[in-house]
Amino acid sequence: MIATFRSWTDRLLGRGEASITVPVFDGALKSNRLIEDAPVLATLAAPADLASDGRNLFVADGAQIWRQDAAAPDWAPSEVVHGLAPAGQPITALACVPGGGLAVALDGRAVHVVGGRYDGCRFDAANGRPLLAVNAIAATADGRLIVTDGSADHPVERWKHDLMGLGRSGRVVEFGLADGSARELVTGLGHAFGACATPDGAWVCESWRHRVLQLDTSAGGARAAPRPVLDKLPGYPSRIVPAADGGYWLTCFALRTQLVEFVLREPVFRKRMLAEVDPAYWIAPALNSGNTYLEPMQGAHLKMMGVVKPWAPPRSYGL
């Protein structure tokens, strides 16, 4: 009853979950030119994820995986990883496995291990529920895979539909490479996207609630509820990996804007937009500009006087 009353007053007063304010872009997320000024190593058709074993850099590009020798002076990738079946499916996540080999998510619906000690391991379900939107994999030193399954309703490429539909069906699952075990660590997340093993469990990102959660991954018994370790982010957090000198690298695949926050809180407009407008023209986050006059301007963030701005705050951020 109290929760219902609080929700009603939040909507009436425009505060709490009903607020359309966006946190200040400050500190590590302050806009900068590091990406624009960085050297370009290669131009790929559809790069989706990166992984490294300390000697090589692996890049998932569509249905291919490219390997770059870290000791090579120039970028000269060679196609690797064979035996993926069925062939031709897009690779949506990638991770190096201790003992050699790669854990590869195919079309978000299955995780295969290719090469190394656990070659041939395959997982496509946990707790009787099939995988649908695997978007990140983290391997642990003791032979486990922590996997984020973004949504139970929409595949990886329909992440925008999940956001605008207020999706809360994401989950984090754990696979045991040695024994083939599979279990859910947490369910009901607002788009789980990104995981990283930590000394006391795992950190996972919940994109639509703009936060990073601490999970208890201990086996058996009642596990502690997820605990936010970082919240109220100005973007949608995604993959997270350990930094070589301590701490973690956190990515945000898109930034929040007041216009999108407003649309998410207007059910009548939002539902009509989903039903009547092509997804390419939704008022929603985007990974790139479509360069079309039909594209929403989103508060003049993209264009000024009809010219596409070379530096647009919703499309430029610090890592």
Side-chain angles (χ1 to χ4, degrees), residues 189-212:
L189 298 182
H191 201 72
F193 190 179
C196 180
T198 65
D200 52 355
W203 282 9
V204 298
C205 296
E206 189 177 16
S207 299
W208 304 159
R209 289 192 174 107
H210 329 113
R211 61 184 184 174
V212 180

Side-chain angles (χ1 to χ4, degrees), residues 213-233:
L213 301 174
Q214 167 72 48
L215 298 188
D216 177 9
T217 60
S218 58
R223 293 189 299 272
R227 176 179 62 87
V229 294
L230 187 65
D231 61 0
K232 297 180 175 63
L233 290 168

Side-chain angles (χ1 to χ4, degrees), residues 24-244:
V24 175
F25 296 88
D26 202 359
L29 285 169
K30 189 174 182 179
S31 298
N32 57 62
R33 290 190 51 84
L34 294 178
I35 293 178
E36 287 85 350
D37 295 341
V40 177
L41 297 180
T43 301
L44 304 175
D49 201 1
L50 302 169
S52 176
D53 59 4
R55 299 183 304 273
N56 300 286
L57 174 67
F58 300 93
V59 184
D61 178 28
Q64 305 175 110
I65 296 178
W66 300 94
R67 178 181 60 83
Q68 166 67 23
D69 186 348
D74 300 313
W75 179 272
S78 57
E79 187 176 352
V80 296
V81 181
H82 303 285
L84 292 179
Q89 291 187 325
I91 296 168
T92 57
L94 191 65
C96 291
V97 177
L102 289 169
V104 181
L106 294 179
D107 197 27
R109 300 172 186 268
V111 176
H112 292 245
V113 178
V114 182
R117 182 191 313 168
Y118 303 107
D119 181 51
C121 285
R122 182 179 185 276
F123 304 94
D124 57 15
N127 282 40
R129 297 169 53 202
L131 301 174
L132 178 64
V134 174
N135 49 31
I137 305 171
T140 68
D142 58 355
R144 294 176 292 122
L145 298 179
I146 301 172
V147 174
T148 51
D149 191 12
S151 170
D153 303 316
H154 301 284
V156 172
E157 67 274 10
R158 287 172 61 91
W159 61 267
K160 192 181 299 186
H161 297 71
D162 194 55
L163 170 62
M164 303 313 291
L166 306 183
R168 296 292 186 268
S169 61
R171 61 176 175 165
V172 181
V173 299
E174 180 187 83
F175 299 124
L177 294 174
D179 58 8
S181 61
R183 61 172 181 150
E184 292 179 339
L185 296 178
V186 64
T187 60
L189 298 182
H191 201 72
F193 190 179
C196 180
T198 65
D200 52 355
W203 282 9
V204 298
C205 296
E206 189 177 16
S207 299
W208 304 159
R209 289 192 174 107
H210 329 113
R211 61 184 184 174
V212 180
L213 301 174
Q214 167 72 48
L215 298 188
D216 177 9
T217 60
S218 58
R223 293 189 299 272
R227 176 179 62 87
V229 294
L230 187 65
D231 61 0
K232 297 180 175 63
L233 290 168
Y236 303 100
S238 47
R239 295 187 179 110
I240 180 171
V241 296

